[in-house]
Amino acid sequence: MSPGRAVLGAAGVLLTAYGVWLLLSRQDLERNLDVALWLAGGVLVHDVLLGSVVIVVSLLATRLLPAVARPAAGAGLVVLGSLTLLAVPFLGGFGRENAPDNPTLLDRDYTAGYLVLVATVIIVVVLPVLLHSLRARREQR
């Protein structure tokens, strides 16, 4: 292991330990259980839900897409899945009811922002595949 990697690993362990100490020393037990459930839920949603969807769609993609498009489609799927999981609380407006007198809480059109992100990811995924296909056609002529 390189010295730089060891230093970064040690820094990560120390920062994690400090964060755990802060969490345990400044919260009551009930809130710590809520945090643990939230963290476990995030891992389950990511690994079970997103992982399953990525595997199923990847299996379908290997049958339907040309070989050149598969890596880009897989990367785009992982990015879109993660963005979607991250966007769900904003798109659903979760938290607004906790502070109805706060007009700055969730004050944007998150659906439009999410759709712009989705369009950007699709363009970034599809454009290189299209360019590759055009080059291949030109070379065949």
Side-chain angles (χ1 to χ4, degrees), residues 10-24:
V13 168
L14 289 174
L15 286 172
T16 301
Y18 179 66
V20 169
W21 176 75
L22 286 176
L23 181 67
L24 295 176

Side-chain angles (χ1 to χ4, degrees), residues 26-84:
R26 297 183 181 192
Q27 301 283 340
D28 58 350
L29 182 60
E30 184 179 321
R31 292 196 106 176
N32 286 337
L33 290 175
D34 288 342
V35 169
L37 287 174
W38 184 82
L39 290 171
V43 169
L44 285 175
V45 166
H46 182 273
D47 291 354
V48 174
L49 181 66
L50 181 60
S52 299
V53 169
V54 167
I55 288 170
V56 168
V57 173
S58 295
L59 288 173
L60 291 173
T62 57
R63 298 178 193 274
L64 300 174
L65 292 176
V68 69
R70 291 178 195 156
L77 179 65
V78 169
V79 170
L80 279 178
S82 299
L83 281 173
T84 301

